[in-house]
Amino acid sequence: LSSVSLGAGAGQDVGRSCILVSIAGKNVMLDCGMHMGYNDDRRFPDFSYITQNGRLTDFLDCVIISHFHLDHCGALPYFSEMVGYDGPIYMTHPTKAICPILLEDYRKITVDKKGETNFFTSQMIKDCMKKVVAVHLHQTVQVDEELEIKAYYAGHVLGAAMFQIKVGCESVVYTGDYNMTPDRHLGAAWIDKCRPDLLISESTYATTIRDSKRCRERDFLKKVHETVERGGKVLIPVFALGRAQELCILLETFWERMNLKAPIYFSTGLTEKANHYYKLFITWTNQKIRKTFVQRNMFEFKHIKAFDRAYADNPGPMVVFATPGMLHAGQSLQIFRKWAGNEKNMVIMPGYCVQGTVGHKILSGQRKLEMEGRQILEVKMQVEYMSFSAHADAKGIMQLIRQAEPRNVLLVHGEAKKMEFLKQKIEQEFHVNCYMPANGETTTIFTNPSIPVDISLGLLKRETAIGLLPDAKKPKLMHGTLIMKDNSFRLVSSEQALKELGLTEHQLRFTCRVHIQDPRKEHETGLRVYNHLKAILKDYSVQHLPDGSITVESILIQATAHSEDQGTKVLLVSWTYQDEELGSYLTSLLKKGLPQSTA
Amino acid sequence: YCLSGHPTLPCNVLKFKSTTIMLDCGLDMTSTLNFLPLPLVQSPRLSKLPGWVLKDGSTFLDKELKECSGHVFVDSVPEFCLPETELLDLSTVDVILISNYHCMMALPYITEYTGFTGTVYATEPTVQIGRLLMEELVNSIERVPKAQSASMWKNKEVQRLLPAPLKDAVEVSMWRKCYTMPEVNAALSKIQMVGYSQKIELFGAVQVTPLSSGYALGSSNWIIQSHYEKVSYVSGSSLLTTHPQPMDQASLKNSDVLILTGLTQIPTANPDGMVGEFCSNLAMTVRNGGNVLVPCYPSGVIYDLLECLYQYIDSAGLSNVPFYFISPVANSSLEFSQIFAEWLCHNKQTKVYLPEPPFPHAELIQTNKLKHYPSIHGDFSNDFKQPCVVFTGHPSLRFGDVVHFMELWGKSSLNTVIFTEPDFSYLDALAPYQPLAMKCVYCPIDTRLNFIQVSKLLKEVQPLHVVCPEQYTQPPPTQSHRTDLMIDCQPAPMSYRRAEVLTLPYKRRYEKIEIMPELADSLVPLEIKPGISLATVSAVLHTKDNKHVLQLPPKPPQAPGGKKRKRVSDDVPEGKPPKPLLSGSIPVEQFVQTLEKHGFSDVKVEDTAKGHIVLLQEAETLIQLEEDSTHIICDNDEPLRVKLRDLVLKFLQKF
């Protein structure tokens, strides 16, 4: 009856989320990310997919950003200011607060450090943010008459949300990145049983089922501790917001407990600010932090100090959190270059690295890196990977599908091979269709929505009253007339339909003469007929009226003497067309005569 | 159902469709004014008050009742006037909707004592700040244990003899002591937190939605609607820009019924003017070396006052005067106010994006201008410097740390007490402290809607009916000439009073039902008039969670082979669709032609007054044709009858 079609900007690849959903005539763009592995045109999604000609504003009804990571919002100023879009952009309050800062940070690295032109400006970021409408969790936002969106908590990072997009009876849920297990600072993603027609889920960790959180944490602490003990330096490349805070809380408590002295640094500026955001948006963190924040705000750290570039050359052990997380630019890359040559040092990658980044290269075992200017950097330091990034693993994805009960599932934001595996698993377990489109591919999903109509209360009450009496569970047939007028559908009782349309009812009545042999008086015959019918038709209301006639439901039976033959009585059986079956049945029954034994 | 007589602290119950919804749960605390204050430190003055003696000289009440400057007070733990609990069985209440933190103070009484098993809905700030208010209340009453609890005066016979306010107090036998902290926690655990514009389904029958009401952090109006009816509940709303998110008016449009409560209690005072007066009085007192006491709640207007003072103190040269905020929940209240960015007005939200704390009291605290303490004991007594400004509770002056300051500063005319909370009459509040040398200034700040704003609002949202407490339908008793101080709208509002039941004037006509796609495909619409089509529907009605779905009827089971006529019930038609209604009329000539075509040769037509009679002589059959009825009278010849029937039906439309 109608369809949901979908064009993905980042299908089987992590790094550039941008999905276009058309649902019941409405076009919604989900996320507007950029690819951090590229430095050329490929880093932004190709918006010509959306519409070849015509303005984006006319084509798109709204844009939704799930969270502030650049692979989900990095192309937003490019999209809204350089390509041109003036419609509404929806995101949660924390995302709205943090997103411009990350964008500005990213802009600085690309433009100021790399000297790129043809990139968005600070002013563009500001203008872009003016188009943003902030939403609350669970708030139902009416984008227009028909289109409504609703945000659910997603866990992944501060302010991350899943969005339900609904037009009439059709709905799509887009998860963005989410995390089904609560961590040290954020809660778990949650959605109600909203039964969307389509669930678009990320699948970064499609095949991984991670070991228990506690093990990973212990592992992490052990490695950091060992390195520091032997005098090495630990570099932890992180994104300013999210994992960084969790690991800070972890290290802070560990340092406190073990009474360690080695300094912990956090690369400057952004991070202090970031912690401040956490303090102000504490309602978005997990239960425990929220409960205790009045006594002790978890984001005020005692052991963790701001980092200065000069510290990198300091002798002795230290732990440094530096941005960005994939070692593709900025401070983390600078420090990495300085420390890479010493085997005592260690770099811990706590999150996923996009293909093409230095982070991805060293994780895949590359030890000789070609840096800018044909320089070769030999990596002697230890490289560790610890999955702390808060994506749902296979178990989590399955859990979410169980929660939401979608009719179709579409996987994005993952690697093709892993997605294939997960797809099979989903189809096996839930018996729903599962899709995994490639970049730029369009998937069309047919939905089969029920049609809502208005039913007159009188009719409904009448029907439910009947339905409830004998056996509530037994399905009950109901009858009525559907009036279709100017796109409105109303179900009313047939009588009311006639009345409303000014039509008069045409009564069709039948009267049958049934001759039976009975020498008795008329009223005695009547009584016999009554007793006879009463005995047979137990489920019907059979009544003997004072004037000698008999009714069965609304069928009238009268016994009169035959004008010529007194021994023959004529039974006049009269019914309307509505009682056709019963009337016809009665005549054939009476035709067989009355039982002799009675009376 | 109206369970509370207090228009600003409402407690109503609405029966809508099959649900029972309690709207707010306000606790009338004015009853405490009849009690003596609870001093933190033994007060020689209070303990020496003479007992009250009846006119005839009998003194049996002198332990319970004390006299102070001509007023009689009950010397006992203060008690509160509960919402009506007898009017209906409160255990049948399905949900409670809370509009703001002042209107939930009776919650523990309802959820813990009436067998209530439902859910309470409120926004997060409402819950958190409501908890603080309750905590403060419980704390300030519990830490001053009172040996005796008076009950003799409540005897109807005795009460009749008492002087004025006590004599007229309603339902004194229903007055209850304060709840305890475990009860508060139990009550709050039944709350489910919601966000603005969140649509909450109740049993599939009703949808409720909170909307910003602009009055306090997280305060909300509620919309209760089904597919065809909409009831708006407006309680404690404000159109002024203070700290909370502005009021959402647009969503209130098209209501069938609008229930209006929680209007301003001081319709004549302009809040802005009052704030100005507050500041200047405060400055004057401090300059003269006096102390200022501000009895207040730990949340709400105090944020705005602090913000005003933040801007004001430097220009008034008060930057060295310490501000103290004393409440067991002072710290929590100040901290909580900073984290509810999403519930704040636009200006304050923008600050958070920077990121900066939304309220300037963070800076006041950092610069040590504002200090907060849990109570007057402990650190406070060391830091205490005069002259100073003290914000503390409770505004009734009957319990909390404020009692101590009243006793301490009451004797000096240099000091000033400034009343900002409008909930209590300041004269009544001061009564047990008379005679008093201290200056008293009354600057009630009530940002709730006034009557001019109400009529504007009603014009804007155009509800079909307005329902409000009776107090709003007449001018205030003290200013009976002010006819502008009442609600004026068309049609006239319906009013209610305590313990009254009102039937709301709307009638439900339609309900939503879903037709499964398979069924929809099987329907055969018939165009009757241009643009209007009809289709007969026969389907199975499934009702689950108050949602109705129509499905294709199951295929009739195959009739067992070999018709056995013996078992009658096999043949008795059941569950088959009834024959449709017929419409239209039968043109005689064409009908006769049709009959002849089908082999009836001896058709004879007679005209009658209303129509025609068609006779088939051979078959002894008579067919009466009239405008909207047809009557076939024949012998018992089934094949013939069926044949005739089908011929007739050809001319008619079926529904």
Side-chain angles (χ1 to χ4, degrees), chain A residues 277 454-455 457 477-478 506-507 511 513 540 580 585, chain B residues 228 353 509 511 539 568 572 575 620 630-631 645:
Chain A
Y277 278 116
D454 301 346
I455 182 167
L457 204 65
L477 271 179
M478 71 167 294
H506 189 103
Q507 264 207 355
T511 303
R513 291 185 289 264
Y540 291 84
E580 175 75 10
Y585 167 71
Chain B
Y228 295 97
Y353 293 153
R509 285 215 180 77
E511 181 74 80
V568 180
V572 175
E620 283 188 52
T630 301
H631 196 162
R645 178 192 74 192

PDB file of all heavy atoms in Angstrom, chain A residues 277 454-455 457 477-478 506-507 511 513 540 580 585, chain B residues 228 353 509 511 539 568 572 575 620 630-631 645:
ATOM      1  N   TYR A 277      30.379  20.241  30.457  1.00  0.00           N
ATOM      2  CA  TYR A 277      29.116  19.838  29.839  1.00  0.00           C
ATOM      3  C   TYR A 277      28.496  18.679  30.591  1.00  0.00           C
ATOM      4  O   TYR A 277      27.301  18.624  30.815  1.00  0.00           O
ATOM      5  CB  TYR A 277      29.341  19.434  28.385  1.00  0.00           C
ATOM      6  CG  TYR A 277      29.389  20.609  27.457  1.00  0.00           C
ATOM      7  CD1 TYR A 277      30.535  20.920  26.757  1.00  0.00           C
ATOM      8  CD2 TYR A 277      28.264  21.411  27.294  1.00  0.00           C
ATOM      9  CE1 TYR A 277      30.586  22.007  25.920  1.00  0.00           C
ATOM     10  CE2 TYR A 277      28.309  22.506  26.457  1.00  0.00           C
ATOM     11  CZ  TYR A 277      29.467  22.802  25.767  1.00  0.00           C
ATOM     12  OH  TYR A 277      29.503  23.867  24.955  1.00  0.00           O
ATOM     13  N   ASP A 454     -13.065   5.748  11.728  1.00  0.00           N
ATOM     14  CA  ASP A 454     -13.832   6.161  12.894  1.00  0.00           C
ATOM     15  C   ASP A 454     -15.044   5.255  13.008  1.00  0.00           C
ATOM     16  O   ASP A 454     -15.740   5.023  12.032  1.00  0.00           O
ATOM     17  CB  ASP A 454     -14.326   7.602  12.715  1.00  0.00           C
ATOM     18  CG  ASP A 454     -13.155   8.528  12.523  1.00  0.00           C
ATOM     19  OD1 ASP A 454     -12.026   8.093  12.787  1.00  0.00           O
ATOM     20  OD2 ASP A 454     -13.379   9.676  12.108  1.00  0.00           O
ATOM     21  N   ILE A 455     -15.284   4.793  14.199  1.00  0.00           N
ATOM     22  CA  ILE A 455     -16.453   3.950  14.365  1.00  0.00           C
ATOM     23  C   ILE A 455     -17.393   4.669  15.304  1.00  0.00           C
ATOM     24  O   ILE A 455     -16.974   5.306  16.263  1.00  0.00           O
ATOM     25  CB  ILE A 455     -16.067   2.568  14.920  1.00  0.00           C
ATOM     26  CG1 ILE A 455     -17.291   1.684  15.030  1.00  0.00           C
ATOM     27  CG2 ILE A 455     -15.361   2.676  16.246  1.00  0.00           C
ATOM     28  CD1 ILE A 455     -16.953   0.242  15.270  1.00  0.00           C
ATOM     29  N   LEU A 457     -19.700   5.289  18.255  1.00  0.00           N
ATOM     30  CA  LEU A 457     -19.619   4.697  19.576  1.00  0.00           C
ATOM     31  C   LEU A 457     -20.796   3.785  19.846  1.00  0.00           C
ATOM     32  O   LEU A 457     -20.674   2.753  20.483  1.00  0.00           O
ATOM     33  CB  LEU A 457     -19.573   5.818  20.612  1.00  0.00           C
ATOM     34  CG  LEU A 457     -18.941   5.437  21.926  1.00  0.00           C
ATOM     35  CD1 LEU A 457     -17.488   5.122  21.728  1.00  0.00           C
ATOM     36  CD2 LEU A 457     -19.112   6.564  22.903  1.00  0.00           C
ATOM     37  N   LEU A 477     -18.422 -11.564  15.177  1.00  0.00           N
ATOM     38  CA  LEU A 477     -18.593 -10.847  13.933  1.00  0.00           C
ATOM     39  C   LEU A 477     -19.302  -9.533  14.190  1.00  0.00           C
ATOM     40  O   LEU A 477     -20.211  -9.464  15.005  1.00  0.00           O
ATOM     41  CB  LEU A 477     -19.447 -11.683  12.991  1.00  0.00           C
ATOM     42  CG  LEU A 477     -18.704 -12.651  12.099  1.00  0.00           C
ATOM     43  CD1 LEU A 477     -19.696 -13.412  11.264  1.00  0.00           C
ATOM     44  CD2 LEU A 477     -17.729 -11.916  11.203  1.00  0.00           C
ATOM     45  N   MET A 478     -18.864  -8.504  13.528  1.00  0.00           N
ATOM     46  CA  MET A 478     -19.637  -7.278  13.621  1.00  0.00           C
ATOM     47  C   MET A 478     -19.945  -6.785  12.222  1.00  0.00           C
ATOM     48  O   MET A 478     -19.251  -7.100  11.270  1.00  0.00           O
ATOM     49  CB  MET A 478     -18.896  -6.215  14.410  1.00  0.00           C
ATOM     50  CG  MET A 478     -17.698  -5.625  13.719  1.00  0.00           C
ATOM     51  SD  MET A 478     -17.161  -4.170  14.582  1.00  0.00           S
ATOM     52  CE  MET A 478     -18.530  -3.099  14.321  1.00  0.00           C
ATOM     53  N   HIS A 506     -35.843   0.452   2.272  1.00  0.00           N
ATOM     54  CA  HIS A 506     -36.889  -0.251   1.546  1.00  0.00           C
ATOM     55  C   HIS A 506     -37.141  -1.574   2.242  1.00  0.00           C
ATOM     56  O   HIS A 506     -36.251  -2.392   2.359  1.00  0.00           O
ATOM     57  CB  HIS A 506     -36.444  -0.489   0.105  1.00  0.00           C
ATOM     58  CG  HIS A 506     -37.542  -1.011  -0.759  1.00  0.00           C
ATOM     59  ND1 HIS A 506     -38.210  -0.210  -1.659  1.00  0.00           N
ATOM     60  CD2 HIS A 506     -38.106  -2.221  -0.841  1.00  0.00           C
ATOM     61  CE1 HIS A 506     -39.134  -0.937  -2.266  1.00  0.00           C
ATOM     62  NE2 HIS A 506     -39.098  -2.156  -1.778  1.00  0.00           N
ATOM     63  N   GLN A 507     -38.343  -1.718   2.726  1.00  0.00           N
ATOM     64  CA  GLN A 507     -38.639  -2.954   3.444  1.00  0.00           C
ATOM     65  C   GLN A 507     -39.127  -4.023   2.494  1.00  0.00           C
ATOM     66  O   GLN A 507     -40.065  -3.798   1.737  1.00  0.00           O
ATOM     67  CB  GLN A 507     -39.722  -2.680   4.482  1.00  0.00           C
ATOM     68  CG  GLN A 507     -39.146  -2.420   5.843  1.00  0.00           C
ATOM     69  CD  GLN A 507     -40.121  -2.800   6.927  1.00  0.00           C
ATOM     70  OE1 GLN A 507     -41.259  -3.177   6.638  1.00  0.00           O
ATOM     71  NE2 GLN A 507     -39.687  -2.680   8.153  1.00  0.00           N
ATOM     72  N   THR A 511     -44.590 -13.010   3.094  1.00  0.00           N
ATOM     73  CA  THR A 511     -45.558 -13.729   3.908  1.00  0.00           C
ATOM     74  C   THR A 511     -45.871 -15.037   3.198  1.00  0.00           C
ATOM     75  O   THR A 511     -46.194 -15.044   2.008  1.00  0.00           O
ATOM     76  CB  THR A 511     -46.847 -12.920   4.089  1.00  0.00           C
ATOM     77  OG1 THR A 511     -46.501 -11.668   4.660  1.00  0.00           O
ATOM     78  CG2 THR A 511     -47.824 -13.637   4.996  1.00  0.00           C
ATOM     79  N   ARG A 513     -47.916 -18.644   3.123  1.00  0.00           N
ATOM     80  CA  ARG A 513     -49.041 -19.393   3.678  1.00  0.00           C
ATOM     81  C   ARG A 513     -48.621 -20.844   3.816  1.00  0.00           C
ATOM     82  O   ARG A 513     -48.220 -21.463   2.847  1.00  0.00           O
ATOM     83  CB  ARG A 513     -50.252 -19.287   2.747  1.00  0.00           C
ATOM     84  CG  ARG A 513     -50.842 -17.895   2.707  1.00  0.00           C
ATOM     85  CD  ARG A 513     -52.091 -17.873   1.870  1.00  0.00           C
ATOM     86  NE  ARG A 513     -51.775 -18.019   0.454  1.00  0.00           N
ATOM     87  CZ  ARG A 513     -51.641 -16.971  -0.384  1.00  0.00           C
ATOM     88  NH1 ARG A 513     -51.815 -15.747   0.059  1.00  0.00           N
ATOM     89  NH2 ARG A 513     -51.372 -17.161  -1.652  1.00  0.00           N
ATOM     90  N   TYR A 540     -33.638 -19.233  20.522  1.00  0.00           N
ATOM     91  CA  TYR A 540     -34.338 -18.047  20.037  1.00  0.00           C
ATOM     92  C   TYR A 540     -35.431 -17.652  21.007  1.00  0.00           C
ATOM     93  O   TYR A 540     -35.921 -18.461  21.805  1.00  0.00           O
ATOM     94  CB  TYR A 540     -34.952 -18.334  18.662  1.00  0.00           C
ATOM     95  CG  TYR A 540     -33.905 -18.494  17.609  1.00  0.00           C
ATOM     96  CD1 TYR A 540     -33.265 -19.713  17.410  1.00  0.00           C
ATOM     97  CD2 TYR A 540     -33.525 -17.408  16.816  1.00  0.00           C
ATOM     98  CE1 TYR A 540     -32.285 -19.859  16.462  1.00  0.00           C
ATOM     99  CE2 TYR A 540     -32.548 -17.544  15.852  1.00  0.00           C
ATOM    100  CZ  TYR A 540     -31.929 -18.776  15.673  1.00  0.00           C
ATOM    101  OH  TYR A 540     -30.952 -18.906  14.722  1.00  0.00           O
ATOM    102  N   GLU A 580     -34.324 -13.374   6.452  1.00  0.00           N
ATOM    103  CA  GLU A 580     -34.513 -14.329   5.368  1.00  0.00           C
ATOM    104  C   GLU A 580     -34.221 -15.781   5.767  1.00  0.00           C
ATOM    105  O   GLU A 580     -35.064 -16.659   5.607  1.00  0.00           O
ATOM    106  CB  GLU A 580     -33.605 -13.913   4.205  1.00  0.00           C
ATOM    107  CG  GLU A 580     -33.587 -14.870   3.038  1.00  0.00           C
ATOM    108  CD  GLU A 580     -34.855 -14.785   2.206  1.00  0.00           C
ATOM    109  OE1 GLU A 580     -35.641 -13.862   2.444  1.00  0.00           O
ATOM    110  OE2 GLU A 580     -35.047 -15.644   1.330  1.00  0.00           O
ATOM    111  N   TYR A 585     -36.320 -20.991   6.952  1.00  0.00           N
ATOM    112  CA  TYR A 585     -36.175 -22.207   7.741  1.00  0.00           C
ATOM    113  C   TYR A 585     -37.472 -22.556   8.454  1.00  0.00           C
ATOM    114  O   TYR A 585     -37.900 -23.709   8.490  1.00  0.00           O
ATOM    115  CB  TYR A 585     -35.037 -21.999   8.742  1.00  0.00           C
ATOM    116  CG  TYR A 585     -34.967 -23.035   9.818  1.00  0.00           C
ATOM    117  CD1 TYR A 585     -34.554 -24.335   9.522  1.00  0.00           C
ATOM    118  CD2 TYR A 585     -35.325 -22.727  11.137  1.00  0.00           C
ATOM    119  CE1 TYR A 585     -34.503 -25.287  10.504  1.00  0.00           C
ATOM    120  CE2 TYR A 585     -35.273 -23.685  12.109  1.00  0.00           C
ATOM    121  CZ  TYR A 585     -34.866 -24.966  11.805  1.00  0.00           C
ATOM    122  OH  TYR A 585     -34.815 -25.903  12.773  1.00  0.00           O
TER     123      TYR A 585
ATOM    124  N   TYR B 228     -11.215  11.650  19.888  1.00  0.00           N
ATOM    125  CA  TYR B 228     -12.239  12.626  19.555  1.00  0.00           C
ATOM    126  C   TYR B 228     -12.520  13.653  20.614  1.00  0.00           C
ATOM    127  O   TYR B 228     -13.234  14.606  20.373  1.00  0.00           O
ATOM    128  CB  TYR B 228     -13.537  11.912  19.156  1.00  0.00           C
ATOM    129  CG  TYR B 228     -13.298  11.170  17.915  1.00  0.00           C
ATOM    130  CD1 TYR B 228     -12.998   9.823  17.924  1.00  0.00           C
ATOM    131  CD2 TYR B 228     -13.218  11.863  16.718  1.00  0.00           C
ATOM    132  CE1 TYR B 228     -12.675   9.173  16.762  1.00  0.00           C
ATOM    133  CE2 TYR B 228     -12.899  11.227  15.558  1.00  0.00           C
ATOM    134  CZ  TYR B 228     -12.627   9.880  15.574  1.00  0.00           C
ATOM    135  OH  TYR B 228     -12.283   9.256  14.427  1.00  0.00           O
ATOM    136  N   TYR B 353      24.979  26.121  26.672  1.00  0.00           N
ATOM    137  CA  TYR B 353      25.708  25.712  25.476  1.00  0.00           C
ATOM    138  C   TYR B 353      27.142  26.255  25.474  1.00  0.00           C
ATOM    139  O   TYR B 353      27.974  25.820  24.719  1.00  0.00           O
ATOM    140  CB  TYR B 353      24.978  26.196  24.222  1.00  0.00           C
ATOM    141  CG  TYR B 353      23.652  25.516  24.008  1.00  0.00           C
ATOM    142  CD1 TYR B 353      22.621  26.131  23.323  1.00  0.00           C
ATOM    143  CD2 TYR B 353      23.425  24.228  24.492  1.00  0.00           C
ATOM    144  CE1 TYR B 353      21.404  25.503  23.138  1.00  0.00           C
ATOM    145  CE2 TYR B 353      22.216  23.595  24.317  1.00  0.00           C
ATOM    146  CZ  TYR B 353      21.203  24.229  23.632  1.00  0.00           C
ATOM    147  OH  TYR B 353      20.008  23.608  23.435  1.00  0.00           O
ATOM    148  N   ARG B 509     -18.895  10.375  20.524  1.00  0.00           N
ATOM    149  CA  ARG B 509     -19.639   9.825  19.403  1.00  0.00           C
ATOM    150  C   ARG B 509     -18.862   8.758  18.664  1.00  0.00           C
ATOM    151  O   ARG B 509     -19.396   7.752  18.277  1.00  0.00           O
ATOM    152  CB  ARG B 509     -19.982  10.935  18.413  1.00  0.00           C
ATOM    153  CG  ARG B 509     -21.093  11.782  18.928  1.00  0.00           C
ATOM    154  CD  ARG B 509     -21.998  12.268  17.840  1.00  0.00           C
ATOM    155  NE  ARG B 509     -23.041  13.071  18.452  1.00  0.00           N
ATOM    156  CZ  ARG B 509     -22.841  14.307  18.869  1.00  0.00           C
ATOM    157  NH1 ARG B 509     -21.669  14.866  18.726  1.00  0.00           N
ATOM    158  NH2 ARG B 509     -23.818  14.974  19.434  1.00  0.00           N
ATOM    159  N   GLU B 511     -15.079   6.533  17.798  1.00  0.00           N
ATOM    160  CA  GLU B 511     -13.949   5.830  18.364  1.00  0.00           C
ATOM    161  C   GLU B 511     -13.123   5.370  17.184  1.00  0.00           C
ATOM    162  O   GLU B 511     -13.647   5.173  16.095  1.00  0.00           O
ATOM    163  CB  GLU B 511     -14.513   4.648  19.162  1.00  0.00           C
ATOM    164  CG  GLU B 511     -13.525   3.793  19.859  1.00  0.00           C
ATOM    165  CD  GLU B 511     -12.950   4.475  21.071  1.00  0.00           C
ATOM    166  OE1 GLU B 511     -13.613   4.491  22.116  1.00  0.00           O
ATOM    167  OE2 GLU B 511     -11.836   4.988  20.945  1.00  0.00           O
ATOM    168  N   ALA B 539     -17.065  -8.164   9.776  1.00  0.00           N
ATOM    169  CA  ALA B 539     -15.728  -8.579  10.165  1.00  0.00           C
ATOM    170  C   ALA B 539     -15.706  -8.974  11.622  1.00  0.00           C
ATOM    171  O   ALA B 539     -16.656  -8.752  12.359  1.00  0.00           O
ATOM    172  CB  ALA B 539     -14.751  -7.442   9.940  1.00  0.00           C
ATOM    173  N   VAL B 568     -31.306 -29.800  14.549  1.00  0.00           N
ATOM    174  CA  VAL B 568     -31.814 -28.509  14.107  1.00  0.00           C
ATOM    175  C   VAL B 568     -30.744 -27.423  14.209  1.00  0.00           C
ATOM    176  O   VAL B 568     -30.598 -26.608  13.327  1.00  0.00           O
ATOM    177  CB  VAL B 568     -33.040 -28.113  14.945  1.00  0.00           C
ATOM    178  CG1 VAL B 568     -33.572 -26.764  14.487  1.00  0.00           C
ATOM    179  CG2 VAL B 568     -34.097 -29.180  14.804  1.00  0.00           C
ATOM    180  N   VAL B 572     -29.819 -24.023  12.065  1.00  0.00           N
ATOM    181  CA  VAL B 572     -30.179 -22.697  12.535  1.00  0.00           C
ATOM    182  C   VAL B 572     -29.024 -21.759  12.221  1.00  0.00           C
ATOM    183  O   VAL B 572     -27.906 -21.988  12.649  1.00  0.00           O
ATOM    184  CB  VAL B 572     -30.445 -22.705  14.052  1.00  0.00           C
ATOM    185  CG1 VAL B 572     -30.707 -21.286  14.546  1.00  0.00           C
ATOM    186  CG2 VAL B 572     -31.625 -23.584  14.359  1.00  0.00           C
ATOM    187  N   GLY B 575     -24.048 -16.669  13.184  1.00  0.00           N
ATOM    188  CA  GLY B 575     -22.745 -16.102  12.850  1.00  0.00           C
ATOM    189  C   GLY B 575     -22.624 -15.689  11.401  1.00  0.00           C
ATOM    190  O   GLY B 575     -21.649 -15.069  11.017  1.00  0.00           O
ATOM    191  N   GLU B 620     -51.103 -17.962  -7.042  1.00  0.00           N
ATOM    192  CA  GLU B 620     -51.779 -17.383  -5.877  1.00  0.00           C
ATOM    193  C   GLU B 620     -50.843 -16.475  -5.110  1.00  0.00           C
ATOM    194  O   GLU B 620     -50.710 -16.548  -3.901  1.00  0.00           O
ATOM    195  CB  GLU B 620     -52.322 -18.481  -4.955  1.00  0.00           C
ATOM    196  CG  GLU B 620     -53.581 -19.119  -5.478  1.00  0.00           C
ATOM    197  CD  GLU B 620     -54.194 -20.044  -4.452  1.00  0.00           C
ATOM    198  OE1 GLU B 620     -54.393 -19.578  -3.313  1.00  0.00           O
ATOM    199  OE2 GLU B 620     -54.413 -21.216  -4.769  1.00  0.00           O
ATOM    200  N   THR B 630     -41.892  -3.515  -0.018  1.00  0.00           N
ATOM    201  CA  THR B 630     -42.390  -4.531  -0.938  1.00  0.00           C
ATOM    202  C   THR B 630     -42.846  -5.708  -0.088  1.00  0.00           C
ATOM    203  O   THR B 630     -42.164  -6.075   0.858  1.00  0.00           O
ATOM    204  CB  THR B 630     -41.274  -4.995  -1.901  1.00  0.00           C
ATOM    205  OG1 THR B 630     -40.806  -3.864  -2.620  1.00  0.00           O
ATOM    206  CG2 THR B 630     -41.793  -6.039  -2.859  1.00  0.00           C
ATOM    207  N   HIS B 631     -43.988  -6.216  -0.383  1.00  0.00           N
ATOM    208  CA  HIS B 631     -44.493  -7.334   0.412  1.00  0.00           C
ATOM    209  C   HIS B 631     -44.846  -8.466  -0.544  1.00  0.00           C
ATOM    210  O   HIS B 631     -45.666  -8.300  -1.444  1.00  0.00           O
ATOM    211  CB  HIS B 631     -45.723  -6.875   1.201  1.00  0.00           C
ATOM    212  CG  HIS B 631     -46.069  -7.800   2.316  1.00  0.00           C
ATOM    213  ND1 HIS B 631     -46.886  -7.432   3.349  1.00  0.00           N
ATOM    214  CD2 HIS B 631     -45.691  -9.073   2.570  1.00  0.00           C
ATOM    215  CE1 HIS B 631     -47.006  -8.449   4.185  1.00  0.00           C
ATOM    216  NE2 HIS B 631     -46.271  -9.459   3.730  1.00  0.00           N
ATOM    217  N   ARG B 645     -37.866 -13.213  -4.885  1.00  0.00           N
ATOM    218  CA  ARG B 645     -36.999 -12.402  -4.041  1.00  0.00           C
ATOM    219  C   ARG B 645     -35.816 -11.856  -4.845  1.00  0.00           C
ATOM    220  O   ARG B 645     -35.514 -10.683  -4.829  1.00  0.00           O
ATOM    221  CB  ARG B 645     -36.474 -13.270  -2.891  1.00  0.00           C
ATOM    222  CG  ARG B 645     -35.506 -12.530  -1.977  1.00  0.00           C
ATOM    223  CD  ARG B 645     -34.809 -13.487  -1.061  1.00  0.00           C
ATOM    224  NE  ARG B 645     -33.781 -14.258  -1.796  1.00  0.00           N
ATOM    225  CZ  ARG B 645     -33.172 -15.318  -1.308  1.00  0.00           C
ATOM    226  NH1 ARG B 645     -33.495 -15.792  -0.119  1.00  0.00           N
ATOM    227  NH2 ARG B 645     -32.254 -15.945  -2.024  1.00  0.00           N
TER     228      ARG B 645
END
